[in-house]
Amino acid sequence: MGDPMRIRATVAGDVVEVKVLMRHDMETGQRKDLEGKVVPAHFIKNLQAKWKDKLVLDAQFGPSVSKDPFLSFKFKGGVKGDKVSVTWTDSKGDQRSDEAAIA
């Protein structure tokens, strides 16, 4: 499991903007270590965001996404105090889930 995500969710009118910073090395499988051995691929493959158990974002990532990815997205309907949860799964099957209240 990776380090905790930083999630910020704010509402303006009826639109919620969510910003997520994920801590993950995002190895492509093409880099070599100091001994010349290939570093195995290890990257976030899937990410889902939910609000009130409703899926508001379903994304697929690949090895070309940079280390510690940042993601921003918007959805309608949330109000202050509602929880937004974000879950990712990586290429090794590791998973991380975190949540934040809408401010």
Side-chain angles (χ1 to χ4, degrees):
M1 183 186 289
D3 292 334
M5 289 179 265
R6 288 184 167 186
I7 304 171
R8 288 197 179 135
T10 55
V11 65
D14 67 341
V15 177
V16 176
E17 181 177 22
V18 181
K19 296 179 180 181
V20 184
L21 178 62
M22 298 162 268
R23 300 286 182 201
H24 199 285
D25 286 340
M26 301 295 282
E27 287 291 345
T28 65
Q30 297 179 357
R31 191 174 65 86
K32 293 183 180 179
D33 63 15
L34 294 175
E35 297 175 359
K37 296 178 184 174
V38 174
V39 177
H42 185 207
F43 56 90
I44 294 173
K45 290 178 69 172
N46 300 309
L47 179 132
Q48 291 187 332
K50 292 184 178 182
W51 160 70
K52 290 188 172 183
D53 290 327
K54 180 181 178 185
L55 188 65
V56 293
L57 177 73
D58 189 9
Q60 288 74 45
F61 288 8
S64 64
V65 176
S66 68
K67 178 179 179 176
D68 297 337
F70 173 80
L71 177 67
S72 178
F73 63 94
K74 296 177 181 181
F75 69 91
K76 289 187 176 185
V79 296
K80 285 186 179 185
D82 286 352
K83 301 277 185 175
V84 175
S85 65
V86 179
T87 303
W88 58 252
T89 305
D90 69 17
S91 57
K92 291 186 178 180
D94 292 335
Q95 192 173 51
R96 177 78 201 191
S97 292
D98 291 295
E99 70 178 17
I102 298 172

mmCIF file of all heavy atoms in Angstrom, residues 1 5 7 10 16 21 25 40 45 52 56 61-62 64 78 80 87 95:
data_model
loop_
_atom_site.group_PDB
_atom_site.id
_atom_site.type_symbol
_atom_site.label_atom_id
_atom_site.label_comp_id
_atom_site.label_asym_id
_atom_site.label_seq_id
_atom_site.Cartn_x
_atom_site.Cartn_y
_atom_site.Cartn_z
ATOM 1 N N MET A 1 0.847 -1.179 0.000
ATOM 2 C CA MET A 1 0.000 0.000 0.000
ATOM 3 C C MET A 1 0.888 1.237 0.000
ATOM 4 O O MET A 1 1.881 1.290 0.703
ATOM 5 C CB MET A 1 -0.910 -0.012 1.223
ATOM 6 C CG MET A 1 -1.858 1.152 1.243
ATOM 7 S SD MET A 1 -2.844 1.296 2.732
ATOM 8 C CE MET A 1 -3.947 -0.067 2.579
ATOM 9 N N MET A 5 -2.886 9.572 0.140
ATOM 10 C CA MET A 5 -3.118 10.575 -0.894
ATOM 11 C C MET A 5 -3.500 11.885 -0.227
ATOM 12 O O MET A 5 -4.099 11.885 0.849
ATOM 13 C CB MET A 5 -4.270 10.146 -1.812
ATOM 14 C CG MET A 5 -3.957 9.002 -2.715
ATOM 15 S SD MET A 5 -5.387 8.557 -3.727
ATOM 16 C CE MET A 5 -6.084 7.240 -2.732
ATOM 17 N N ILE A 7 -6.009 14.731 -0.690
ATOM 18 C CA ILE A 7 -7.254 14.990 -1.416
ATOM 19 C C ILE A 7 -7.868 16.279 -0.886
ATOM 20 O O ILE A 7 -8.037 16.435 0.329
ATOM 21 C CB ILE A 7 -8.262 13.829 -1.234
ATOM 22 C CG1 ILE A 7 -7.646 12.508 -1.665
ATOM 23 C CG2 ILE A 7 -9.542 14.117 -2.004
ATOM 24 C CD1 ILE A 7 -8.495 11.298 -1.315
ATOM 25 N N THR A 10 -13.545 20.969 -2.995
ATOM 26 C CA THR A 10 -14.220 22.227 -2.686
ATOM 27 C C THR A 10 -15.448 22.371 -3.575
ATOM 28 O O THR A 10 -15.465 21.877 -4.707
ATOM 29 C CB THR A 10 -13.285 23.437 -2.911
ATOM 30 O OG1 THR A 10 -12.788 23.403 -4.249
ATOM 31 C CG2 THR A 10 -12.115 23.414 -1.946
ATOM 32 N N VAL A 16 -18.401 20.463 -7.671
ATOM 33 C CA VAL A 16 -17.332 20.093 -6.739
ATOM 34 C C VAL A 16 -16.062 19.872 -7.547
ATOM 35 O O VAL A 16 -16.067 19.140 -8.531
ATOM 36 C CB VAL A 16 -17.683 18.803 -5.964
ATOM 37 C CG1 VAL A 16 -16.529 18.382 -5.074
ATOM 38 C CG2 VAL A 16 -18.953 18.998 -5.160
ATOM 39 N N LEU A 21 -3.359 14.267 -5.022
ATOM 40 C CA LEU A 21 -1.935 14.028 -5.209
ATOM 41 C C LEU A 21 -1.649 12.637 -4.659
ATOM 42 O O LEU A 21 -1.853 12.375 -3.474
ATOM 43 C CB LEU A 21 -1.084 15.071 -4.481
ATOM 44 C CG LEU A 21 0.424 14.887 -4.583
ATOM 45 C CD1 LEU A 21 0.892 14.985 -6.045
ATOM 46 C CD2 LEU A 21 1.148 15.898 -3.724
ATOM 47 N N ASP A 25 5.764 5.596 -7.144
ATOM 48 C CA ASP A 25 6.980 5.714 -7.962
ATOM 49 C C ASP A 25 6.711 5.618 -9.461
ATOM 50 O O ASP A 25 7.481 6.132 -10.258
ATOM 51 C CB ASP A 25 8.018 4.665 -7.570
ATOM 52 C CG ASP A 25 8.686 5.021 -6.250
ATOM 53 O OD1 ASP A 25 8.642 6.198 -5.853
ATOM 54 O OD2 ASP A 25 9.251 4.112 -5.618
ATOM 55 N N PRO A 40 11.599 -3.475 -12.611
ATOM 56 C CA PRO A 40 10.283 -3.969 -13.058
ATOM 57 C C PRO A 40 9.218 -2.875 -13.079
ATOM 58 O O PRO A 40 9.242 -1.949 -12.266
ATOM 59 C CB PRO A 40 9.918 -5.032 -12.025
ATOM 60 C CG PRO A 40 11.163 -5.333 -11.280
ATOM 61 C CD PRO A 40 12.064 -4.152 -11.410
ATOM 62 N N LYS A 45 -2.746 1.453 -12.212
ATOM 63 C CA LYS A 45 -3.502 1.034 -13.399
ATOM 64 C C LYS A 45 -4.910 1.613 -13.413
ATOM 65 O O LYS A 45 -5.395 2.043 -14.452
ATOM 66 C CB LYS A 45 -3.588 -0.495 -13.464
ATOM 67 C CG LYS A 45 -2.265 -1.166 -13.791
ATOM 68 C CD LYS A 45 -2.399 -2.667 -13.795
ATOM 69 C CE LYS A 45 -3.235 -3.107 -14.971
ATOM 70 N NZ LYS A 45 -3.259 -4.556 -15.153
ATOM 71 N N LYS A 52 -20.946 9.599 -2.173
ATOM 72 C CA LYS A 52 -22.187 8.945 -1.734
ATOM 73 C C LYS A 52 -22.354 7.589 -2.416
ATOM 74 O O LYS A 52 -23.433 7.252 -2.911
ATOM 75 C CB LYS A 52 -23.404 9.827 -2.023
ATOM 76 C CG LYS A 52 -23.485 11.046 -1.171
ATOM 77 C CD LYS A 52 -24.819 11.741 -1.404
ATOM 78 C CE LYS A 52 -25.022 12.868 -0.437
ATOM 79 N NZ LYS A 52 -26.324 13.497 -0.601
ATOM 80 N N VAL A 56 -18.047 8.710 -9.604
ATOM 81 C CA VAL A 56 -17.986 9.988 -10.316
ATOM 82 C C VAL A 56 -16.775 10.064 -11.244
ATOM 83 O O VAL A 56 -16.704 10.959 -12.092
ATOM 84 C CB VAL A 56 -17.997 11.198 -9.350
ATOM 85 C CG1 VAL A 56 -19.338 11.293 -8.647
ATOM 86 C CG2 VAL A 56 -16.853 11.140 -8.356
ATOM 87 N N PHE A 61 -4.817 4.301 -15.926
ATOM 88 C CA PHE A 61 -3.508 4.906 -16.115
ATOM 89 C C PHE A 61 -2.600 3.894 -16.782
ATOM 90 O O PHE A 61 -2.891 2.705 -16.809
ATOM 91 C CB PHE A 61 -2.880 5.301 -14.772
ATOM 92 C CG PHE A 61 -3.507 6.482 -14.088
ATOM 93 C CD1 PHE A 61 -4.665 7.078 -14.538
ATOM 94 C CD2 PHE A 61 -2.928 7.004 -12.950
ATOM 95 C CE1 PHE A 61 -5.225 8.162 -13.892
ATOM 96 C CE2 PHE A 61 -3.467 8.093 -12.295
ATOM 97 C CZ PHE A 61 -4.618 8.670 -12.758
ATOM 98 N N GLY A 62 -1.459 4.357 -17.267
ATOM 99 C CA GLY A 62 -0.455 3.495 -17.868
ATOM 100 C C GLY A 62 0.928 3.861 -17.365
ATOM 101 O O GLY A 62 1.083 4.750 -16.528
ATOM 102 N N SER A 64 3.218 5.539 -18.662
ATOM 103 C CA SER A 64 3.753 6.836 -19.075
ATOM 104 C C SER A 64 3.384 7.972 -18.119
ATOM 105 O O SER A 64 3.847 9.093 -18.289
ATOM 106 C CB SER A 64 3.259 7.180 -20.484
ATOM 107 O OG SER A 64 1.859 7.326 -20.475
ATOM 108 N N GLY A 78 -22.451 17.585 -5.185
ATOM 109 C CA GLY A 78 -21.949 17.507 -3.818
ATOM 110 C C GLY A 78 -22.194 18.778 -3.033
ATOM 111 O O GLY A 78 -22.326 19.859 -3.594
ATOM 112 N N LYS A 80 -21.122 20.805 0.965
ATOM 113 C CA LYS A 80 -20.140 20.824 2.039
ATOM 114 C C LYS A 80 -20.429 19.717 3.043
ATOM 115 O O LYS A 80 -21.576 19.484 3.417
ATOM 116 C CB LYS A 80 -20.143 22.174 2.752
ATOM 117 C CG LYS A 80 -19.494 23.268 1.965
ATOM 118 C CD LYS A 80 -19.404 24.546 2.771
ATOM 119 C CE LYS A 80 -18.708 25.613 1.949
ATOM 120 N NZ LYS A 80 -18.492 26.838 2.702
ATOM 121 N N THR A 87 -9.806 5.650 -4.747
ATOM 122 C CA THR A 87 -9.133 4.356 -4.620
ATOM 123 C C THR A 87 -8.350 4.081 -5.881
ATOM 124 O O THR A 87 -8.871 4.242 -6.974
ATOM 125 C CB THR A 87 -10.159 3.217 -4.411
ATOM 126 O OG1 THR A 87 -10.946 3.505 -3.259
ATOM 127 C CG2 THR A 87 -9.465 1.875 -4.245
ATOM 128 N N GLN A 95 -3.283 -1.688 -3.379
ATOM 129 C CA GLN A 95 -4.431 -0.795 -3.453
ATOM 130 C C GLN A 95 -4.330 0.239 -2.343
ATOM 131 O O GLN A 95 -3.813 -0.034 -1.254
ATOM 132 C CB GLN A 95 -5.711 -1.596 -3.306
ATOM 133 C CG GLN A 95 -6.959 -0.856 -3.644
ATOM 134 C CD GLN A 95 -8.169 -1.772 -3.634
ATOM 135 O OE1 GLN A 95 -8.385 -2.495 -2.675
ATOM 136 N NE2 GLN A 95 -8.947 -1.732 -4.691
#
